[in-house]
Amino acid sequence: MGKLVLSLNGAVQGEFQLKKERMTIGRKPDNDIQIDNLAVSGKHALVITILDDSFLEDLGSTNGTYVNGKLIKKHALRDGDVVGIGKHELKYINEHATADDEEFEKTMIIRPGSASAAVAAAKAGTEPNSPPAAAPADTARRPPGSFRSETSPAQGRRGRPGTLPLGFGNTGAGVDEARRQQFARR
């Protein structure tokens, strides 16, 4: 089990065992590790401990959180790391912590909406982050916010309820039928 040793100007002020999965650090008394100093935000940082490893996350603090002198947002703590919060230091001690970043499993981050774009791009044979194709000439002259309506299969007339604005999946190839029907019912 890891621990954090709190010090100010080299004088040890306390030791905190990382017993809980989530421990907050900040100025307010409801934090697990309270640092009563105006340079420390009310809820400054969070330590998440999973098995033998701990991770530090800045919670949007005013003055930032530093590890070994480097400003961080998120950081996997290693034995001997020195966390700087205001003028205070917290030394992370854990001989059983994973020693190397290479030992962590890599995780892919997929933002909402990007997975379907990546699949569509793969089917079309393009890169998922490549710029979109140029708009058709007739749409390029329209003012922003105006849409050209296409006939919905449920309505059959241009510009009536049940039509879809251009760009809402009513373009032909690869149309999501459920979405088209949802808009057609309106």
Side-chain angles (χ1 to χ4, degrees), residues 86-136:
K87 295 186 179 194
H88 290 76
E89 290 184 342
L90 290 153
K91 185 171 185 177
Y92 178 68
I93 299 173
N94 186 355
E95 296 172 2
H96 302 290
T98 304
D100 195 351
D101 286 339
E102 297 301 318
E103 294 182 34
F104 287 111
E105 182 179 328
K106 305 294 185 220
T107 303
M108 180 184 289
I109 298 173
I110 300 175
R111 291 185 174 81
S114 65
S116 58
V119 171
K123 287 180 181 177
T126 62
E127 290 295 317
N129 292 331
S130 62

Side-chain angles (χ1 to χ4, degrees), residues 44-46 55-61 63-77 81-85:
H44 196 101
L46 174 68
F55 305 88
L56 178 69
E57 179 179 356
D58 183 87
L59 296 176
S61 65
N63 293 316
T65 302
Y66 295 81
V67 175
N68 302 325
K70 183 179 176 185
L71 182 66
I72 61 100
K73 293 288 181 202
K74 293 182 180 184
H75 179 80
L77 291 169
D81 277 349
V82 177
V83 178
I85 295 180

Side-chain angles (χ1 to χ4, degrees), residues 127-173:
E127 290 295 317
N129 292 331
S130 62
D138 63 332
T139 61
R141 290 188 297 264
R142 273 191 227 107
S146 65
F147 296 104
R148 184 181 86 199
S149 293
E150 301 236 349
T151 305
S152 160
Q155 183 62 34
R157 287 198 219 168
R158 199 180 268 291
R160 295 284 187 169
T163 61
L164 297 174
L166 183 66
F168 279 87
N170 197 18
T171 57

